[in-house]
Amino acid sequence: MKFKMNIMIKLLMVLLVINLFENCQSKEQNRDEISSLVINNLLNGVPDRNKSLVVMEVADLGGSYTGTCYDTFQLNGGNIGSTSYFNTPPGGAGGLLNTNVKKYAVSTSTCSDLGFTSGSNFGSTSQRPNPNDTFTFKMYTCDPNNNPCAKAAITASGF
């Protein structure tokens, strides 16, 4: 009886170790998979009413914030919603990267409506889901020194 119990425990430990190794994932991002996820979210999702992706970070203990807002997403010349990018790791992983200091959220308002000014076209290969794709968006910023973040933007991010 004791012998059978020892064999069962060893078998369970071996199965546990095998399961652990099978579920481990590489931390390196696979850009082809990210591009596929953006396209999949675009094709299989409901119509996206969100117009922007807002990322806000606490700048200091005085209640100041720094932020970035992205809108006008295009993939290979076609418009895509901000939710498709938000659901990828570079876009905030669907809000899974939110902390008490930094938050990612989509908004039904444009970046301009949220108080961001002077958007610039952006689309460097380092930001594209797949460097071969023509993935572009407009990026807006705010910070406590040059262009304070509007209350609407701070609220839209979830703070």
Side-chain angles (χ1 to χ4, degrees):
M1 179 78 165
K2 194 173 191 178
F3 178 72
K4 287 183 181 180
M5 189 67 115
N6 284 340
I7 290 176
M8 298 261 301
I9 290 173
K10 288 179 182 178
L11 182 62
L12 284 172
M13 300 222 4
V14 167
L15 290 172
L16 180 66
V17 169
I18 290 171
N19 187 31
L20 179 66
F21 282 115
E22 286 178 355
N23 290 325
C24 289
Q25 297 177 3
S26 171
K27 293 192 183 241
E28 183 178 320
Q29 284 184 357
N30 183 333
R31 291 184 173 276
D32 290 332
E33 288 179 8
I34 293 171
S35 181
S36 296
L37 180 58
V38 169
I39 293 169
N40 184 47
N41 289 336
L42 172 66
L43 296 176
N44 296 322
V46 295
D48 190 2
R49 291 188 299 261
N50 292 313
K51 296 178 183 170
S52 63
L53 167 62
V54 183
V55 181
M56 285 293 204
E57 190 169 0
V58 175
D60 58 38
L61 296 175
S64 297
Y65 295 86
T66 59
T68 349
C69 185
Y70 308 94
D71 66 12
T72 318
F73 291 91
Q74 292 192 329
L75 180 63
N76 294 328
N79 291 333
I80 62 171
S82 56
T83 304
S84 297
Y85 187 60
F86 172 65
N87 287 329
T88 65
L96 292 175
L97 302 178
N98 285 349
T99 66
N100 290 334
V101 176
K102 188 172 186 176
K103 296 199 184 280
Y104 300 76
V106 287
S107 174
T108 55
S109 301
T110 65
C111 295
S112 298
D113 292 342
L114 294 173
F116 289 92
T117 58
S118 66
S120 60
N121 285 326
F122 202 72
S124 70
T125 54
S126 65
Q127 290 292 327
R128 291 180 187 151
N130 179 343
N132 298 324
D133 287 338
T134 309
F135 178 68
T136 60
F137 47 84
K138 286 189 177 179
M139 182 176 82
Y140 304 75
T141 59
C142 64
D143 66 79
N145 298 323
N146 300 316
N147 179 23
C149 300
K151 180 70 176 166
I154 296 167
T155 304
S157 71
F159 279 110

